[in-house]
């Protein structure tokens, strides 16, 4: 995506991450949404969900990425998904795959395209189960096998890259291809329950370089988030070259709270709530969002990669240093130079 898009103020986000429910049947050790569930402010009812979808359509939001919790555990989720589909908005659902069955796949195929992203945190049972719980590898794989057997056309497998599974990236890619799925790698960030396992799961310098090299050699691998600070220059044309929080994207919590991105769903980043004001108004006038739009990491301006990175992911910098004005501690330049990764 051209960098000019990120330097132009947009009147609406291109995509919105909507954590549709806090309900989940797993307890992953790196759960992004654990904090939202702990605060437990409830969920938007179906009427409010429909109002939000109407607002997304009015704003001409291109894509909604549904997450949770486990979206398919919400009883009316298919009604919400149909409403999004009817409004012509592209829908992507992140699921752990354990509750999929033929009847549910029938419903999804009838709404095609609905992009499914199944989360699996290792190419081997022992690796995944350490993170997601005993027996989850086989349960998740059963859902993936069902989708493969039904010829589901819009499927990707997502792995959050950690110290535990980084050596299995190639194996994971082959596993995804075996099932006719695309490979998607997500960056491990200290948000939610992941804050408690950051020191155990974060990549060391050599592993960061290994991941960077793999992504450089495999341009077909999907990332979709803040790898731009880590990946080689050859992948520049494949995505954003700076943080899109509050510029290209935002996140809606189960209770309707609006945040800059899914990795910044902490109370201090709450921009508003869709039950009190339309999303368009929040996106356009929130002081929280304006702070992100004017964010400049001054210490990075002299770096030769500044135009390719702009300081990296502020979520990581913020949670590790309590400041948004410091650089992403896992940027490629810091890693290559051998500086300590914070």
């Amino acid at each position: 995506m051209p960098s000019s898009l990120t330097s132009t103020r947009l009147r609406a986000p291109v995509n919105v991450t909507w954590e549709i429910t806090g309900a989940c049947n797993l307890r992953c050790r790196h759960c992004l949404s654990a904090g939202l569930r702990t605060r437990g402010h409830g969920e938007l009812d179906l009427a409010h969900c429909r109002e939000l979808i109407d607002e997304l359509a009015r704003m001409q939001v291109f894509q909604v990425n549904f997450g949770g919790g486990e979206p398919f555990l919400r009883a009316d989720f298919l009604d919400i998904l149909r409403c999004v589909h009817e409004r012509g908005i592209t829908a992507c659902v992140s699921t752990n795959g354990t509750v999929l069955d033929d009847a549910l796949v029938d419903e999804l195929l009838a709404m095609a395209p609905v992009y499914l992203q199944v989360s699996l945190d290792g190419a081997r049972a022992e690796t995944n189960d350490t993170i997601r719980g005993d027996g989850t590898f086989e349960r998740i794989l059963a859902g993936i096998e069902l989708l493969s057997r039904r010829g589901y056309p819009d499927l990707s497998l997502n792995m959050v890259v950690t110290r535990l599974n980084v050596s299995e990236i190639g194996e994971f890619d082959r596993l995804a291809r075996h099932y006719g799925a695309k490979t998607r790698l997500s960056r491990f960030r200290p948000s939610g329950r992941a804050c408690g396992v950051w020191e155990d799961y974060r990549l060391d310098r050599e592993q960061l370089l290994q991941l960077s090299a793999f992504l450089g050699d495999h341009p077909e691998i999907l990332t979709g988030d803040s790898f731009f600070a880590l990946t080689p220059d050859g992948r520049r044309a494949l995505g954003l070259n700076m943080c899109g929080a509050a510029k290209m994207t935002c996140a809606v919590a189960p209770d309707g709270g609006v945040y800059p991105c899914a990795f910044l769903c902490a109370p201090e980043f709450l921009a508003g709530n869709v039950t009190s004001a339309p999303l368009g108004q929040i996106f356009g006038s929130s002081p929280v969002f304006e702070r992100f739009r004017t964010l400049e990491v001054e210490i990075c301006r002299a770096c030769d990669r500044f135009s390719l990175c702009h300081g990296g992911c502020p979520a990581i910098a913020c949670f590790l240093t309590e400041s948004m004005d410091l650089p992403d501690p896992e940027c490629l330049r810091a890693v290559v130079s051998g500086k300590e990764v914070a």
Side-chain angles (χ1 to χ4, degrees):
M1 188 172 294
S3 59
S4 59
L5 281 179
T6 60
S7 59
T8 302
R9 184 178 182 125
L10 302 181
R11 62 176 181 78
V14 175
N15 65 74
V16 171
T17 295
W18 187 352
E19 309 290 6
I20 195 68
T21 182
C24 194
N25 57 339
L26 302 184
R27 286 190 58 81
C28 303
R29 295 190 66 195
H30 60 6
C31 179
L32 168 68
S33 309
L36 291 175
R37 290 205 297 276
T38 300
R39 293 197 289 275
H41 297 313
E43 298 176 359
L44 296 175
D45 60 24
L46 184 56
H48 277 117
C49 288
R50 285 175 170 158
E51 289 177 7
L52 177 54
I53 294 166
D54 287 342
E55 174 73 350
L56 294 171
R58 185 196 67 76
M59 296 170 69
Q60 296 183 312
V61 170
F62 174 71
Q63 180 171 309
V64 177
N65 302 318
F66 286 104
E70 169 51 52
F72 291 117
L73 288 181
R74 178 164 170 153
D76 59 2
F77 181 55
L78 286 178
D79 294 325
I80 294 168
L81 208 51
R82 288 189 196 97
C83 191
V84 168
H85 183 70
E86 289 164 2
R87 298 298 189 279
I89 303 170
T90 299
C92 176
V93 183
S94 180
T95 175
N96 61 41
T98 63
V99 297
L100 297 173
D101 58 26
D102 277 301
L104 179 51
V105 174
D106 285 340
E107 296 275 9
L108 295 172
L109 288 171
M111 287 185 276
V114 175
Y115 295 89
L116 283 187
Q117 177 184 298
V118 180
S119 298
L120 186 70
D121 280 310
R124 306 169 191 175
E126 58 269 26
T127 307
N128 173 84
D129 290 5
T130 297
I131 301 170
R132 293 188 159 261
D134 292 344
T136 56
F137 185 82
E138 294 302 328
R139 293 168 60 197
I140 295 168
L141 213 58
I144 295 168
E145 289 172 346
L146 168 62
L147 293 167
S148 178
R149 187 167 64 249
R150 296 293 304 274
Y152 199 87
D154 304 300
L155 175 64
S156 63
L157 303 191
N158 180 72
M159 183 171 79
V160 178
V161 184
T162 66
R163 186 173 301 180
L164 278 65
N165 59 30
V166 65
S167 63
E168 298 176 16
I169 292 176
E171 191 176 347
F172 184 85
D173 184 39
R174 291 189 291 274
L175 181 71
R177 293 172 187 271
H178 172 75
Y179 288 110
K182 294 181 180 178
T183 297
R184 187 179 188 275
L185 301 178
S186 288
R187 192 171 170 193
F188 176 58
R189 284 176 272 200
S191 183
R193 193 175 290 136
C195 294
V197 294
W198 171 253
E199 291 300 331
D200 296 326
Y201 282 14
R202 72 178 206 173
L203 303 183
D204 62 27
R205 178 176 180 270
E206 293 305 317
Q207 290 167 335
L208 286 167
L209 291 173
Q210 175 187 343
L211 174 58
S212 178
F214 181 86
L215 292 172
D217 291 341
H218 296 82
E220 75 282 2
I221 298 293
L222 304 176
T223 54
D225 54 16
S226 66
F227 275 111
F228 51 82
L230 181 64
T231 50
D233 297 353
R235 288 181 64 95
R236 288 307 113 201
L238 301 179
L240 290 175
N241 67 348
M242 64 186 297
C243 172
K247 308 179 192 79
M248 304 284 290
T249 187
C250 66
V252 179
D255 67 348
V258 180
Y259 299 87
C261 85
F263 293 92
L264 290 164
C265 290
E268 60 267 35
F269 299 117
L270 178 63
N273 192 293
V274 297
T275 62
S276 303
L279 180 62
Q281 179 180 327
I282 296 170
F283 186 82
S285 62
S286 164
V288 173
F289 279 23
E290 192 60 30
R291 173 72 177 93
F292 279 85
R293 290 173 185 141
T294 59
L295 182 64
E296 287 282 354
V297 184
E298 290 297 328
I299 196 173
C300 294
R301 295 191 68 88
C303 178
D304 63 317
R305 281 175 53 88
F306 180 74
S307 65
L308 307 175
C309 169
H310 295 270
C313 176
I316 296 181
C318 181
F319 283 112
L320 294 183
T321 68
E322 299 184 353
S323 172
M324 292 193 299
D325 299 312
L326 293 175
D328 186 330
E330 293 185 341
C331 77
L332 186 61
R333 185 59 68 235
V335 173
V336 170
S337 67
K339 294 179 182 179
E340 179 68 21
V341 178

